[in-house]
Amino acid sequence: MDPATLIGIILAFVAMIVMLFKEGGNLGAIILPAPMILVFGATIAVAIASGVVRDLGAVVRSIPRAFVGKVPSGRKLITDLAATAERARREGLLSLEAEAATVDDPFVKAAMQNVADGMDPDELRELLEERIAAEERTERLGAKFFTTMGGYAPTIGIIGTVVSLTIVLGELSEPAELGEKIAAAFVATLWGVMSSNFLWLPIGNRLNRLADLVVEHRTLAMEGVLAIQSGAQPRVIVERLETMLGVTGEKPRKEKKPGKADAPDLKAAA
């Protein structure tokens, strides 16, 4: 679990609440049902209107992923692929069929099975790239939905404020309550801007980042499996994938110089 999004959102709201109290206000001044219903309800509604109904399932599934989702470790993937490469060199590519049965990652499992079935390398690369592209499109549906909400929310908040001010200015017969009603009218704008920048845009950006990491992890797996299929030496596979992993931001492994009593790094990985 990576709690970065949850922690960030909580801290943002805490900072806003602290400012509110420091200015002598209270939560009752901004927690008003009418503007909140308009801002949250209408924002969700227009975001749904911007897409298609079949996308909603992917959007709902992306919500928990935005807060607790994580991508499998690239370091562990390289270690596993190095062990698989060593076995394939000893026992042949057909051994990948048994190896695939022990793999939890469905993408890697399917790729190994394709290699064991004797698929042509070029056809396999094309197939894996299509799988990665399809998974990326699914991963980004939720991100696009929340980013869209982040764009609509401030404008909807302004609409709520305009509606409230229209009503307030039509009741000038009660000037004593005018200031309080005008202040309440601007709460819709507050929630529109705040929900956009405290919720929807951070969630959308988080999902986009997770999609990037998934694509990078899948690409790492694809190149590793294709290298195994081509018969590359395990050490070469490890070095190549570690170079790719460095681009993703994950800390590369520090190589240990083998001594007399030390086994080569490849055997340790295997």
Side-chain angles (χ1 to χ4, degrees):
M1 173 180 174
D2 186 340
T5 298
L6 185 60
I7 291 174
I9 289 175
I10 291 174
L11 289 177
F13 277 102
V14 168
M16 188 274 297
I17 292 172
V18 169
M19 188 214 90
L20 180 66
F21 284 120
K22 287 289 186 180
E23 292 293 328
N26 60 79
L27 288 178
I30 63 172
I31 301 180
L32 302 177
M36 292 176 68
I37 290 172
L38 171 68
V39 170
F40 285 95
T43 299
I44 294 172
V46 295
I48 292 173
S50 300
V52 294
V53 173
R54 67 184 181 186
D55 293 342
L56 294 180
V59 171
V60 172
R61 289 191 296 271
S62 72
I63 295 174
R65 179 168 171 74
F67 294 96
V68 299
K70 63 179 182 179
V71 176
S73 169
R75 173 62 44 213
K76 182 178 184 301
L77 176 63
I78 293 177
T79 301
D80 293 342
L81 289 174
T84 301
E86 184 67 23
R87 179 176 179 180
R89 286 175 65 84
R90 291 195 315 265
E91 304 176 17
L93 293 179
L94 287 177
S95 65
L96 294 185
E97 185 170 4
E99 187 77 15
T102 65
V103 176
D104 294 329
D105 190 321
F107 181 86
V108 178
K109 180 192 290 286
M112 287 184 177
Q113 185 62 55
N114 291 141
V115 173
D117 291 341
M119 180 176 285
D120 179 77
D122 292 336
E123 292 181 358
L124 178 57
R125 175 178 290 276
E126 184 177 353
L127 174 63
L128 295 180
E129 287 176 347
E130 289 174 355
R131 288 174 180 169
I132 292 172
E135 188 169 355
E136 181 181 9
R137 286 194 297 270
T138 301
E139 290 283 337
R140 294 197 189 278
L141 281 176
K144 182 178 180 181
F145 185 86
F146 286 105
T147 302
T148 299
M149 290 175 67
Y152 284 131
T155 304
I156 292 174
I158 293 173
I159 292 173
T161 296
V162 171
V163 171
S164 295
L165 287 175
T166 301
I167 296 172
V168 169
L169 294 177
E171 300 177 353
L172 295 179
S173 59
E174 301 177 359
E177 300 178 2
L178 191 59
E180 182 179 348
K181 289 182 178 181
I182 291 176
F186 281 97
V187 171
T189 297
L190 171 65
W191 277 106
V193 175
M194 186 165 60
S195 63
S196 173
N197 292 279
F198 283 14
L199 289 173
W200 313 137
L201 291 179
I203 291 174
N205 290 333
R206 159 77 169 189
L207 291 172
N208 266 323
R209 177 56 179 155
L210 289 177
D212 291 338
L213 292 175
V214 166
V215 171
E216 291 168 356
H217 190 269
R218 295 292 186 247
T219 302
L220 198 70
M222 177 184 71
E223 295 297 339
V225 171
L226 290 172
I228 292 172
Q229 184 184 36
S230 69
Q233 294 183 1
R235 180 179 292 277
V236 174
I237 295 174
V238 170
E239 290 177 354
R240 180 181 179 187
L241 297 185
E242 284 183 344
T243 301
M244 294 177 62
L245 187 62
V247 177
T248 70
E250 195 165 332
K251 187 177 180 180
R253 179 182 61 184
K254 292 183 179 180
E255 294 291 340
K256 179 182 177 183
K257 295 182 179 180
K260 294 182 179 179
D262 294 325
D265 290 339
L266 178 58
K267 293 182 179 180

